Amino acid sequence: MPKFRIVAVLILLWNLLGDVAYLMQATADLDEIARHDPVQAQAFREMPGWVWAAYAIAVASGTIGAVVLLMRRRWAWALFALSLAAVFVQFGWTFLSFDIVAAKGPSAALFPLLIVTIALASTIYARRKQADGTLT
């Protein structure tokens, strides 16, 4: 399997995990979560609708971007850029308004940092593949 296809499939799998995480969190029993992680349950309870919408846009545009990347379409980067922007909106609320780091400690920033890094890397990768002619 060519390197491009491997990278594109990995990006798709990562984004599908994001879709699953969104669906699980959006439909979660907050009382059950509160028994194990009261701060996370509080964050989900307090999360405004616009943040949930940003989260949905982030995962959906990332997944569609990955499919479009596999189809070798040049506009895949724009979908990844939209996903990245939505991730910033979502985590902007999480870190600035809810202040998850104050509530859970610095380790609470690690997974969001990974998400931002992969979203940025996906955008850059698709843009470079557009520039080198891999995407049409």
Side-chain angles (χ1 to χ4, degrees), residues 25-87:
Q25 291 170 8
T27 60
D29 178 349
L30 296 181
D31 293 330
E32 181 64 29
I33 292 174
R35 285 193 268 286
H36 305 288
D37 190 346
V39 173
Q40 193 63 55
Q42 179 185 359
F44 289 162
R45 272 193 190 93
E46 293 180 16
M47 192 180 297
W50 60 269
V51 177
W52 282 105
Y55 187 1
I57 290 167
V59 298
S61 59
T63 300
I64 295 167
V67 169
V68 170
L69 183 66
L70 279 164
M71 295 169 60
R72 295 181 181 260
R73 299 294 180 243
R74 59 186 301 116
W75 47 279
W77 76 269
L79 289 162
F80 289 129
L82 174 61
S83 178
L84 179 62
V87 164

Side-chain angles (χ1 to χ4, degrees), residues 106-125:
S107 65
L110 294 177
F111 195 62
L113 181 59
L114 177 65
I115 292 168
V116 168
T117 300
I118 293 174
L120 178 61
S122 298
T123 305
I124 292 168
Y125 182 76

